[in-house]
Amino acid sequence: MNNSRIIYKVVRAYYEDRLTQQEIGNKYGISRIKVWRLLSKALNDKIVEIKINTPAETNHSLEQQLENKYGLKEVVVVKTESDSQNDVVASIGQAGASYLLKILEGDESLGISWGRTILALVNALHNSNLPNLKIIQMIGGLGYPEEELSGTELTRRMANALNATPKILNSPGIVATSTTCKALKSDPQVSSILKMAKKSSISLVGIGHFSTELGSKKLNSILSEKDIETLGEKGAVGDISLRFFDKEGQFIKDGINKRVVGLTIDELRNIPRRIAIAGGKHKLTTIKAALKGELINILITDKNTAIELMK
Amino acid sequence: MNNSRIIYKVVRAYYEDRLTQQEIGNKYGISRIKVWRLLSKALNDKIVEIKINTPAETNHSLEQQLENKYGLKEVVVVKTESDSQNDVVASIGQAGASYLLKILEGDESLGISWGRTILALVNALHNSNLPNLKIIQMIGGLGYPEEELSGTELTRRMANALNATPKILNSPGIVATSTTCKALKSDPQVSSILKMAKKSSISLVGIGHFSTELGSKKLNSILSEKDIETLGEKGAVGDISLRFFDKEGQFIKDGINKRVVGLTIDELRNIPRRIAIAGGKHKLTTIKAALKGELINILITDKNTAIELMK
DNA sequence: AAAAAATATGTATTTTTGTTCAAATGTTTT
DNA sequence: AAAACATTTGAACAAAAATACATATTTTTT
């Protein structure tokens, strides 16, 4: 057998099956020393890579200050490498993943929304084994389904990583007319998931930034121009699972609410532990609003945002 | 010192600095056996993770058939796990990364475009050390600059991973008027980068799929509706670095070409080694067209696409 | 505060891994 | 085809890591 093929078998046997070099040698009929040489080569050629997961450094005093100021159950403040949106998202995603793994008991329901930050969290999750945990998609599909960050994909991937059960909401997140929406909501498949979502003990959401300008690309492809206009006029600054609110965190009443397939704002607010994961400069006003409206009670954010929130 | 802090020091010392457990024990004043226990714990708690990079399996006979049929310099055909766009992109990205590392001599210029597939490639790159390599951004910034897949970000990240020199094109990829475009192109900063790009010995591009329908979201946010309409009328099926072509791979002449800050189609075609990385069902026609027009001469794709291309 | 239980630590021993060196095999040059 | 050179191989040894077991320390319970 060719070296280049056997090296992968050896590497697997050593690191995954935890056999000794001698055992591997016997198994494949090569000398122990050759096994060792293949393993060295693998390390050298980066066929195996060793990754050290340094935990995000947190800032305890800021966390407590924020908890007190806004009356939150828990706050996680991570120091970020740089202020670039990419870094911030990756860091809070990682911190969010650790936090989640820490608090999950294994026998509960977790409703999740969607977005870049949640994607980062999912990417940072280590594999775990929580077979009695349900991951529930709280909002219908948004964006393009082939995208990594579609709610469905995120739900599936998260459930996969945790070895939990995914509960997929088989519906678009927002539809053209309230009639369609009603019809969907009365569909047994959809309604059963929404019922479950409503009873979740924990929710995990991103906080969407709203602006009538370009730049809020996320929404541009989802909402019509007219929707954006009316929401803007009514003072929307952001959304959680497509429920929009103004800068005081007050819910915005609008026809759009009758076209969203997902939990209502009250149902969202009724979930006992509501984790939001959001950070970055441009989200400051929106996060503040969500806190004021008590839409969430657990916040995972970056240090800069935390400092600004304390001002 | 607290366990939870020292464990990271120990892990670093062991895996990064390659000290023995005894040496680490002496260094931090703890017993060798305790060092061992910390290391076990680290492994258990996934503070260290061991990643095995299985190379993408390739299909040699298909590769050769494609090389012959289309007269290509080289073809890489990867087997993918599933047909989902995510999987395909990740797999060809990985294969592209290996291919690139294999062919790079270390003393050349590599022009790159942008897109999801190139992002996947960059993500799959191992760190390397090619200080004499230049990574040149061939097309101005597109999409939202804070996005991971902006050309600038990709160029920077790739250069970073390879320890090469990034050459950033400080300009939008497409502008509103040909006058602006001319002005930009005459800017010394921009023109010097474009000159370098033109002389690259290798180019690495994605193949953009064009359609007048929704779904081609990539372009929707970049081109105006009018642009899309006229391109559609002229039979555009795709683009490479925003140079559009029809289903025969023939370049589409249109006013839009005077508004693109990037290499011209001829300049692109003059680069000796033109690597395209693209796959997935919906890109079939577009890839075929690019091959017919000899816009590329090296192709990295997935098995399904390869089979379809052979029909 | 004493007893019980759980957790942490260290010594001694066994097992596994890493290194050296000389012989064997393969490759290139003349 | 022989010589010169490079590469691969495995036995023997040295070094390091893993385990078992006994003891000490801390935490929890009574």
Side-chain angles (χ1 to χ4, degrees), chain A residues 72-212:
Chain A
L72 294 166
K73 261 199 161 69
E74 195 151 3
V75 175
V76 176
V77 172
V78 270
K79 294 181 189 162
T80 56
E81 286 248 330
S82 82
D83 289 357
S84 81
Q85 191 61 5
N86 276 339
D87 256 7
V88 168
V89 167
S91 304
I92 61 180
Q94 202 198 344
S98 316
Y99 178 76
L100 206 58
L101 287 172
K102 197 182 77 187
I103 63 157
L104 285 176
E105 304 270 341
D107 191 13
E108 53 218 326
S109 296
L110 170 67
I112 72 166
S113 74
W114 73 300
R116 279 231 293 158
T117 323
I118 308 238
L119 169 64
L121 186 152
V122 172
N123 281 337
L125 277 175
H126 304 150
N127 289 340
S128 190
N129 183 33
L130 303 167
N132 297 317
L133 176 70
K134 284 182 202 145
I135 310 289
I136 306 170
Q137 185 181 345
M138 289 199 307
I139 177 95
L142 294 165
Y144 300 86
E146 83 269 21
E147 282 282 338
E148 256 184 316
L149 64 253
S150 87
T152 309
E153 181 69 14
L154 286 176
T155 308
R156 240 191 274 281
R157 281 186 54 197
M158 181 179 253
N160 208 26
L162 302 177
N163 193 27
T165 315
K167 297 288 176 183
I168 303 289
L169 193 54
N170 226 326
S171 152
I174 188 161
V175 292
T177 67
S178 58
T179 327
T180 321
C181 184
K182 250 187 209 158
L184 275 166
K185 278 184 164 174
S186 66
D187 176 88
Q189 231 195 324
V190 171
S191 73
S192 72
I193 301 286
L194 286 177
K195 206 178 280 175
M196 267 188 246
K198 198 161 59 179
K199 289 189 197 144
S200 300
S201 52
I202 311 176
S203 68
L204 173 67
V205 299
I207 298 182
H209 169 68
F210 178 88
S211 136
T212 46

Side-chain angles (χ1 to χ4, degrees), chain B residues 14 20-22 32-33 36-37:
Chain B
Y14 191 71
T20 68
Q21 299 178 357
Q22 186 62 68
R32 191 191 69 74
I33 201 67
W36 182 77
R37 282 178 182 135

